[in-house]
Amino acid sequence: QVQFVESGGGLVQPGGSLRLSCAASGSAFRVLSMAWYRQAPGKQRDLVGDITVLGSTNYDDSVKGRFTISRDNIENTMWLQMNSLKPEDTAVYYCNTIHGNLPWGQGTQVTVSS
């Protein structure tokens, strides 16, 4: 079964950038449409954006133009490049399939604060 490990989070000032990574175990990654999600304290987990097997992407309006999702199907890795970060981007970020139907990893904490 595919397992996900997220990394790359941290504390960043508003306007800063971070690049998150999602490492997936197993060869199934290359046939899965994937997504990034985030969960702020006291809120539900929300979809940030998704990427198909061939690399087509969609983004939530709140991050469009600031975040970019990419993937490498050979390395079984997906990334989330986050630019122009805002305090409201503070959350734990997770990766999973576009359906969110596989076991969730521990996520990586992103805190945007001055």
Side-chain angles (χ1 to χ4, degrees), residues 36-103:
W36 282 98
Y37 301 81
R38 65 186 179 185
Q39 186 168 20
K43 296 187 176 181
Q44 67 180 18
R45 187 177 290 156
D46 292 327
L47 179 70
V48 173
D50 60 80
I51 184 167
T52 67
V53 172
L54 295 181
S56 296
T57 54
N58 291 288
Y59 301 94
D60 183 81
D61 286 345
S62 65
V63 306
K64 200 172 294 183
R66 300 188 298 122
F67 290 12
T68 302
I69 299 174
S70 59
R71 66 188 293 167
D72 184 326
N73 293 335
I74 302 300
E75 297 296 326
N76 288 352
T77 304
M78 177 175 68
W79 297 275
L80 178 65
Q81 176 67 43
M82 305 186 295
N83 299 326
S84 302
L85 282 161
K86 305 175 181 180
E88 50 264 44
D89 294 319
T90 295
V92 179
Y93 284 71
Y94 302 87
C95 59
N96 207 303
T97 73
I98 195 170
H99 305 290
N101 59 335
L102 293 181

